[in-house]
Amino acid sequence: MSQLRLFQPRYLDSSHSETDPVILSFPQVETTSTTSIFSNAVRRAEVIYNNRFCPSCNHPEVEPLELDDGINNRNGIPIPGTCTLVGFHCLDCHSEWPL
Ligand SMILES: [Zn+2]
């Protein structure tokens, strides 16, 4: 049977007595990157939804025009939705429009 040794450091603050609970502080976890990724995905979905019809011929088949700056996964394949969206292309009349 193993024994677990516990380490109880001396109180750093002399105002605490031995019976007072000690509140330890931990570094705050940064959540802005997750929030930023989520808000970017929502914003991207809104832009694609708002540009789902061609403004010239009102055709519903449009494709997004993206830069080649996406994040690659470990297999070297770009992760969908990570490329910069710069415009759209109509598959019917071949017109293009920027964002
Ligand atoms: Zn069109």
Side-chain angles (χ1 to χ4, degrees):
M1 177 181 220
S2 63
Q3 291 184 343
L4 180 63
R5 292 185 63 187
L6 296 178
F7 174 72
Q8 182 176 7
R10 299 267 180 221
Y11 290 111
L12 299 176
D13 190 1
S14 62
S15 65
H16 289 284
S17 68
E18 294 277 332
T19 58
D20 288 342
V22 177
I23 299 174
L24 302 175
S25 64
F26 295 95
Q28 193 166 17
V29 176
E30 185 66 38
T31 58
T32 56
S33 62
T34 305
T35 305
S36 175
I37 290 170
F38 179 73
S39 65
N40 286 343
V42 170
R43 177 70 184 130
R44 181 183 180 90
E46 287 175 348
V47 168
I48 291 174
Y49 181 80
N50 291 335
N51 290 281
R52 66 189 184 277
F53 296 108
C54 174
S56 300
C57 68
N58 206 25
H59 196 265
E61 291 185 65
V62 297
E63 62 182 8
L65 299 174
E66 300 175 326
L67 298 179
D68 193 21
D69 61 349
I71 300 171
N72 292 339
N73 63 14
R74 62 180 167 187
N75 295 326
I77 301 171
I79 298 172
T82 58
C83 297
T84 303
L85 193 60
V86 293
F88 290 90
H89 172 81
C90 176
L91 297 178
D92 188 42
C93 70
H94 302 289
S95 68
E96 294 181 352
W97 62 97
L99 290 180

